[in-house]
Amino acid sequence: MTALRLAIASGKGGTGKTTVAVGLALAAHDPVSLLDCDVEEPNIHLFLDGPQLSDNSVYHAVPIIDPARCNACGRCNEVCRFNAVAVPGSAALVFPELCHACGACALVCPAQAIAQANRVIGNVSRHLHHQVMITTGRLEIGQTATPTLIRAVLGHAAAAGLTIIDAPPGTGCAAVAALATADLVVLVTEPTPFGLHDLQLAWSMVRDLERPCVVVVNRCDLGDDRVDDWCAQQDITIVDHLPEDRRLAAAAARGIPATVAVPALSARYADLLARLTQECCHA
Amino acid sequence: MPEQVRKETAGSQALREIVVLSGKGGTGKTSLCAAWAGLAKRAVVADCDVDAADLALVMTPRPREAHDFYSGVVAAIDPAVCQGCGHCQQQCRFAAISAAADGIRTVTTQACEGCGVCALVCPAAAVALHPRLVGRWMVGDTQVGPLVHARLTPGGENSGRLVTVVRNRARELAVEQGYALRLIDGPPGLGCPVIASCTGADAVVLVTEPSRSGHHDLIRIMALARRLELRCHVIVNRWDLAPELSEAICREALDLGAHVLGTIRYDRGVVAAQLAATNVCAFDTPASDDIRATWSALVHKESLHVM
């Protein structure tokens, strides 16, 4: 099977992205790659455990000034767009918390006074749960290079077969990084005012990225018809309505996947996966 | 880098800034902020969840001002000038440049970090750096005071700059108009936007839920709060969905040095309030009592001057 990337996203947090991503991964008959791209708060490992296969630090390169070579010309300060390097006195000074690790300063330094040092931004670990290969990105607390770490996780997408991407919430650069290479984006929402509003923002983002997009309405009996009505107006396909179920909420609270807590759901998720795969082929 | 906690004063009152965070999304930050604003009766409220801003949906502000916010730059390659050498793509650390079949490079604006490296290395001067429209920020009037909120351009680079603009405007308004309290609805996660929403605040309130995910994410956001030297309060929302987990979370939060403000029960009335575009305490459903108790606890613990 050719490589297929299915991304599970949302505008609003807590709508059930991880629940759906895990459900789909467990429903797949063939080996599947499941990528936890919610690197600030990864949760998949809480639902699917198994033997660890690898754990590697991820770095980005930040500048180190050699005061012996620095002639305080200020060129680094001129090119830095983030005010992360200044020349207060006889040598340049880096403010690491402002640095975006772009390399501009090192490129322009006429004295070759700027070296690049690796700084840990987080780690990427892999573990196996039955036929699901799970890759988890985990941002180091206090670091801000979320998109860079997400791209490192995406590097583990399957070369053939199915990859499911659990994206972070929101519509900013983190979500964009997770969705940029998806073949199909599944936006998980809830039928409430916040759910609809954030779905509209997320749909805008996905449309700008030129990704095909469908919607899953989770906890569908929670609110009203506003999401259904809007999707109909916009000609957006709703591929499933999943009802609220306190059994599932209680099971999820304990880290039990939906299809394990309620085995009857396995068939439903298998059917959903089949429809999503078909949707990808038509897109 | 930890900041000193700033204590501005207006007259004899200390101005306080409380930021509501969670780590995990969907734990109830926005609903809680709206309810607390109503109980405070007088506050400047700011929605710093700029890429999914929902507070205005229940606080229904009367629009007063709106501004485009430009910050940084975004690169664009002129295909007529581009020689296809690929130096820009090679040097770009953000995977924001791709090549067409003919070798001409293009920038994916949503991935562009705005660093300017491509422009620096281009031998043909084919790269232009344009001011980036990050989003719009607005101020509106509500029953309790000004609401400052924003809308990030979807897919926009969110380095926290727009969050900072919202927060700064909230501070200005509080000082100008004599509001003792600033209440900030923060974003989920713990990256750039979260850090921008809370550095230098008086305290953070972490809203969690009794689940393994909620627990896991709470520990991480607490670690960030400690790094930033922020006083932490914890609330367990929907506690009765898993009472033993709820208790375990409270105990661990206490062990980690946080103060537990209380718990809020699961109540479908919370959604009903949202559907009615009103805050939970104004709607008056069982969870309102729990929310009032957490508010009293916060007022007491943070010595808030309230009406």
Side-chain angles (χ1 to χ4, degrees):
Chain A
M1 185 192 170
T2 50
L4 187 62
R5 293 188 184 199
L6 203 60
I8 318 299
S10 68
K12 190 183 183 314
T15 54
K17 291 177 291 307
T18 300
T19 300
V20 170
V22 166
L24 290 171
L26 290 176
H29 293 303
D30 300 314
V32 57
S33 177
L34 180 58
L35 307 182
D36 197 340
C37 287
D38 190 357
V39 301
E40 293 178 17
E41 299 283 21
N43 292 149
I44 289 176
H45 66 285
L46 300 171
F47 291 89
L48 304 176
D49 63 4
Q52 185 167 85
L53 301 169
S54 65
D55 186 358
N56 297 103
S57 291
V58 177
Y59 307 91
H60 67 183
V62 294
I64 304 277
I65 313 286
D66 180 353
R69 288 182 179 238
C70 175
N71 62 14
C73 70
R75 190 83 184 97
C76 52
N77 169 258
E78 282 166 22
V79 297
C80 180
R81 298 217 164 245
F82 310 108
N83 299 310
V85 58
V87 188
S90 56
L93 188 64
V94 175
F95 300 106
E97 69 284 356
L98 297 176
C99 175
H100 285 222
C102 69
C105 54
L107 276 169
V108 303
C109 176
Q112 274 102 57
I114 303 181
Q116 307 266 322
N118 277 339
R119 186 183 181 138
V120 174
I121 60 170
N123 70 305
V124 173
S125 62
R126 290 183 313 141
H127 71 280
L128 196 61
H129 178 92
H130 303 314
Q131 93 285 20
V132 185
M133 171 74 76
I134 297 144
T135 306
T136 302
R138 179 179 292 266
L139 187 74
E140 177 97 348
I141 306 288
Q143 287 297 318
T144 55
T146 298
T148 303
L149 185 57
I150 289 173
R151 281 189 288 273
V153 176
L154 290 170
H156 292 273
L162 180 64
T163 295
I164 297 172
I165 297 164
D166 187 9
T171 61
C173 54
V176 164
L179 303 182
T181 58
D183 295 301
L184 180 67
V185 177
V186 181
L187 291 176
V188 182
T189 188
E190 58 178 49
T192 63
F194 295 176
L196 174 61
H197 180 245
D198 297 352
L199 173 66
Q200 290 165 333
L201 296 170
W203 180 73
S204 250
M205 165 192 57
V206 174
R207 198 189 39 182
D208 286 349
L209 290 172
E210 296 176 345
R211 304 289 109 195
C213 178
V214 294
V215 167
V216 166
V217 183
N218 198 12
R219 303 170 75 202
C220 60
D221 41 1
L222 183 69
D224 59 19
D225 294 327
R226 62 187 69 207
V227 167
D228 281 20
D229 291 344
W230 182 76
C231 287
Q233 277 167 35
Q234 301 295 324
D235 204 23
I236 298 168
T237 305
I238 298 178
V239 288
D240 211 344
H241 289 81
L242 300 168
E244 176 155 58
D245 187 337
R246 199 152 163 162
R247 287 176 299 172
L248 292 180
R254 287 160 183 81
I256 300 166
T259 55
V260 173
V262 180
L265 279 175
S266 291
R268 185 159 190 165
Y269 271 95
D271 181 55
L272 177 58
L273 182 59
R275 275 183 288 121
L276 291 171
T277 311
Q278 222 177 1
E279 194 75 36
C280 272
C281 297
H282 290 150
Chain B
M1 184 160 80
E3 276 187 27
Q4 296 286 346
V5 173
R6 294 188 306 276
K7 295 236 185 287
E8 304 118 330
T9 53
S12 58
Q13 282 187 347
L15 304 188
R16 307 308 285 263
E17 186 187 29
I18 307 290
V19 183
V20 181
L21 298 170
S22 59
K24 190 180 186 313
T27 57
K29 294 179 291 305
T30 300
S31 299
L32 183 71
C33 276
W36 275 0
L39 294 172
K41 296 198 182 70
R42 195 163 186 279
V44 175
V45 186
D47 189 346
C48 284
D49 189 4
V50 300
D51 64 321
D54 295 328
L55 195 50
L57 296 173
V58 290
M59 292 194 71
T60 58
R62 285 181 308 285
R64 204 210 297 169
E65 46 179 289
H67 309 265
D68 281 337
F69 178 60
Y70 284 87
S71 180
V73 294
V74 60
I77 298 171
D78 187 341
V81 180
C82 173
Q83 294 167 357
C85 69
H87 287 342
C88 55
Q89 186 175 9
Q90 225 175 354
Q91 296 293 340
C92 175
R93 293 187 180 181
F94 306 101
I97 296 179
S98 54
D102 58 0
I104 302 299
R105 278 14 190 220
T106 332
V107 175
T108 305
T109 50
Q110 298 93 333
C112 176
E113 190 85 352
C115 66
V117 163
C118 49
L120 284 172
V121 303
C122 177
V127 185
L129 300 174
H130 302 293
R132 183 195 295 261
L133 177 63
V134 173
R136 267 174 86 71
W137 63 274
M138 294 77 75
V139 181
D141 293 315
T142 73
Q143 281 187 316
V144 307
L147 171 67
V148 189
H149 56 125
R151 185 189 159 131
L152 182 78
T153 307
E157 183 256 342
N158 184 3
S159 64
R161 285 167 177 164
L162 184 54
V163 170
T164 301
V165 164
V166 167
R167 224 176 137 209
N168 285 346
R169 186 69 186 128
R171 186 175 75 240
E172 279 170 18
L173 288 167
V175 171
E176 279 166 27
Q177 297 175 25
Y179 285 85
L181 175 65
R182 267 169 291 151
L183 197 51
I184 314 293
D185 186 10
L190 41 71
C192 245
V194 169
I195 294 171
S197 74
C198 67
T199 47
D202 289 290
V204 294
V205 174
L206 305 175
V207 182
T208 188
E209 60 176 45
S211 66
R212 286 191 66 195
S213 298
H215 187 181
H216 168 276
D217 297 355
L218 175 69
I219 301 309
R220 279 175 62 79
I221 187 75
M222 280 192 68
L224 179 69
R226 273 202 310 281
R227 228 182 115 97
L228 299 175
E229 296 185 352
L230 296 166
R231 207 156 46 242
C232 278
H233 300 278
V234 169
I235 289 176
V236 183
N237 195 10
R238 305 189 279 258
W239 73 268
D240 46 337
L241 284 178
E244 10 28 270
L245 253 174
S246 184
E247 199 185 315
I249 289 168
C250 289
R251 262 189 271 114
E252 187 164 357
L254 287 168
D255 286 344
L256 290 169
H259 171 250
V260 176
L261 282 175
T263 58
I264 302 166
R265 76 195 76 173
Y266 176 73
D267 178 3
R268 283 186 72 139
V270 173
V271 173
Q274 196 193 120
L275 288 165
T278 188
N279 84 71
V280 179
C281 291
F283 199 72
D284 205 27
T285 182
S288 309
D289 293 333
D290 299 338
I291 293 172
R292 280 192 198 95
T294 60
W295 174 246
S296 300
L298 182 72
V299 167
H300 172 73
K301 206 69 177 150
E302 287 293 322
S303 310
L304 301 180
H305 294 273
V306 289
M307 294 161 60

